[in-house]
Amino acid sequence: QVQLVESGGGLVQAGGSLRLSCAASTSTFSMYPMGWFRQAPGKEREFVAAISRFGSSTYYADSVKGRFTISRSNAKNTVYLQMNTLKPEDAALYYCAAGRKTGSATSAEYDYWGQGTQVTVSS
């Protein structure tokens, strides 16, 4: 069982930045490809970014490519999402997830989920 706890969300003006963190409670963190997803009110959960087990490969949704950066520290059992040039449409509840398949954009291929951290972007 892997427990994931996100942090770092908050209120930011459009054009600003936030860095989300996701801490995992497992000594086998490096075994898991990781992903970030988000869900806005009234919308389905959508893929944001993913990273391979040792961080050598990263994957992004087209909507965030060039603005968001996913990274991880296996020594700290933590995955990060650096979000720059935030837009009002980036506002959502952001979830991290631990999966089975590197680079997957499909939520069903992730086995463990955090509770989410809220990101609000004012225009």
Side-chain angles (χ1 to χ4, degrees), residues 23-44:
S25 64
T26 175
S27 59
T28 59
F29 180 67
S30 63
M31 291 179 57
Y32 296 94
M34 298 296 294
W36 285 96
F37 288 74
R38 67 187 182 186
Q39 188 168 18
K43 295 188 177 181
E44 292 188 355

Side-chain angles (χ1 to χ4, degrees), residues 54-122:
F54 294 98
S56 58
S57 298
T58 56
Y59 310 83
Y60 298 94
D62 287 344
S63 59
V64 306
K65 202 171 294 184
R67 299 187 299 121
F68 290 12
T69 302
I70 188 171
S71 62
R72 68 189 294 163
S73 167
N74 288 344
K76 296 182 178 180
N77 290 352
T78 302
V79 62
Y80 305 97
L81 186 67
Q82 177 66 42
M83 306 186 295
N84 297 330
T85 318
L86 282 160
K87 304 176 181 180
E89 52 264 42
D90 294 318
L93 190 60
Y94 281 72
Y95 300 90
C96 70
R100 288 168 271 128
K101 183 178 178 182
T102 297
S104 176
T106 304
S107 59
E109 293 183 325
Y110 289 83
D111 297 319
Y112 302 103
W113 293 81
Q115 294 299 305
T117 185
Q118 183 68 44
V119 172
T120 304
V121 184
S122 63

